[in-house]
Amino acid sequence: MSRTTGFRRGVPLLLALVALLAGITSCAQRPASEEPVQQGNDRASAFPVRVKLSGQEPVTLPEQPKRIVSLSPTATEVLYAIGAGNRVVAVDKYSTYPERAPREEISALNVGAGTVSEYRPDLVIAQAGSAGELAKGLRELDIPVLLTPSAKDLSAAYQQMKALGRATGHNEEAADTVRRVRSEIDKLVRETPELEQPLTYYHEVGPDYFTATSKSFVGSVYEKFGLDNIADSAGGKFPQLSEEKILGADPEMIFLADTGTAGVTKGSVAERPGWQTLTAVKQGQVYELNEDVAGRWGPRVVELARSISEAIDGTRQG
């Protein structure tokens, strides 16, 4: 065999090897995408991804996370709703839903990066505003951290659900969850009787009269039903009202979101001095909410919307 013939026979093999190496190199150098990727049957093919939430540092995930630690109760609910629960190895003590979540006696407020690293996570999710030092420590250990800010309204909540879908390789399930939640809330709003005059309401966050205005996430849900918040003139998101202010405003509806830790009930509200004179108390229009549902912006916001819808219907019927 001549040298020329040997070289010609080797050319196809060489080209195939170059093509293979080029493919591997291209794959290895593929930039992180910020756009949802059609998953098909291979969730891992969507990675690497770059996830960024409003006001937070972006996080780049080189591959689909396999061991997730969630220190955000809302994020925990979303992870299980979008089908990523089987990758969650630990959640904080406040993540009370779903019950099967692997709850640990830790929280973003008091746990150190070293303790969290013992779970060998390849993604940690925590609520922004309460985990700054923890996030700094985790990044020094090269552990990706996604900080999730409090949602200001439903639109922000939907964006956060989709971001968690992107971070976990569950884009399609997250999009489905958002469509379902939006559709169910819109249906509840449509089916709730329209009011000739907006009903006034007071949403109690704590027995010391801390409340939520229409600028808060929960306030934005009430707003969709056309209710008038007596606390809006106080400004901010979670002001503390005086008892005189509440009695003077005489709300037609009272919603209690402090039924869990503080144990406030319709009965205890009626026993407060002077509160027997309020329209809401006299007419039995005090409504106890699930405290966890009222304080989170995950998929169970539908339950909050349903409670509001039923309360309006009950108030209308007297």
Side-chain angles (χ1 to χ4, degrees):
M1 180 185 302
S2 69
R3 287 185 177 181
T4 302
T5 302
F7 174 75
R8 286 174 179 169
R9 288 181 177 174
V11 167
L13 178 61
L14 179 61
L15 290 175
L17 181 61
V18 170
L20 176 62
L21 289 174
I24 293 173
T25 304
S26 172
C27 182
Q29 295 180 345
R30 185 174 59 195
S33 171
E34 293 188 30
E35 299 298 325
V37 176
Q38 293 297 322
Q39 296 166 179
N41 295 322
D42 184 8
R43 298 182 190 281
S45 65
F47 290 81
V49 298
R50 184 174 183 269
V51 182
K52 185 177 187 318
L53 287 166
S54 177
Q56 306 304 316
E57 287 188 33
V59 58
T60 298
L61 298 163
E63 57 187 25
Q64 186 180 17
K66 297 180 178 62
R67 297 181 62 83
I68 302 171
V69 171
S70 172
L71 303 176
S72 161
T74 295
T76 299
E77 293 193 16
V78 174
L79 290 171
Y80 279 85
I82 65 176
N86 61 348
R87 294 173 183 266
V88 176
V89 295
V91 302
D92 70 309
K93 63 181 179 182
Y94 301 115
S95 289
T96 52
Y97 187 90
E99 289 187 8
R100 66 180 182 278
R103 197 158 41 254
E104 301 284 349
E105 282 300 312
I106 57 174
S107 82
L109 295 172
N110 61 19
V111 71
T115 300
V116 175
S117 70
E118 292 175 3
Y119 295 99
R120 296 182 289 113
D122 47 11
L123 174 62
V124 175
I125 303 169
Q127 190 169 331
S130 63
E133 285 301 311
L134 173 63
K136 181 180 177 183
L138 289 170
R139 286 169 182 144
E140 289 174 355
L141 297 173
D142 289 329
I143 297 174
V145 185
L146 178 61
L147 295 180
T148 56
S150 299
K152 63 179 182 179
D153 53 28
L154 284 167
S155 178
Y158 297 151
Q159 289 302 317
Q160 201 166 119
M161 292 179 202
K162 289 181 178 178
L164 289 172
R166 200 158 58 250
T168 59
H170 287 255
N171 291 311
E172 293 173 8
E173 292 93 336
D176 287 344
T177 299
V178 168
R179 277 192 290 272
R180 176 183 60 78
V181 171
R182 180 185 282 128
S183 172
E184 291 185 23
I185 291 178
D186 288 348
K187 184 171 184 286
L188 285 166
V189 171
R190 280 196 312 274
E191 293 179 349
T192 300
E194 196 166 337
L195 304 168
E196 293 182 6
Q197 293 290 330
L199 292 168
T200 59
Y201 78 98
Y202 165 61
H203 175 93
E204 184 166 287
V205 175
D208 43 4
Y209 311 134
F210 275 97
T211 184
T213 69
S214 298
K215 292 182 178 178
S216 67
F217 173 76
V218 68
S220 74
V221 180
Y222 285 111
E223 205 166 39
K224 288 185 74 68
F225 290 89
L227 300 182
D228 189 4
N229 191 326
I230 69 162
D232 282 353
S233 60
K237 292 183 179 179
F238 299 101
Q240 183 180 27
L241 303 183
S242 67
E243 191 170 40
E244 291 74 20
K245 164 73 175 174
I246 299 168
L247 294 175
D250 188 20
E252 294 166 292
M253 309 171 74
I254 295 175
F255 293 92
L256 303 174
D258 48 0
T259 53
T261 51
V264 177
T265 64
K266 289 187 285 187
S268 64
V269 165
E271 292 174 357
R272 292 173 180 171
W275 285 56
Q276 303 89 339
T277 65
L278 293 178
T279 298
V281 175
K282 286 190 295 186
Q283 299 185 0
Q285 292 157 191
V286 180
Y287 303 99
E288 299 174 1
L289 300 175
N290 180 314
E291 185 172 318
D292 288 343
V293 171
R296 299 173 189 173
W297 49 95
R300 289 198 296 164
V301 67
V302 173
E303 294 181 30
L304 173 65
R306 183 172 295 109
S307 295
I308 296 171
S309 174
E310 291 173 352
I312 292 172
D313 196 34
T315 298
R316 274 186 68 256
Q317 295 178 15

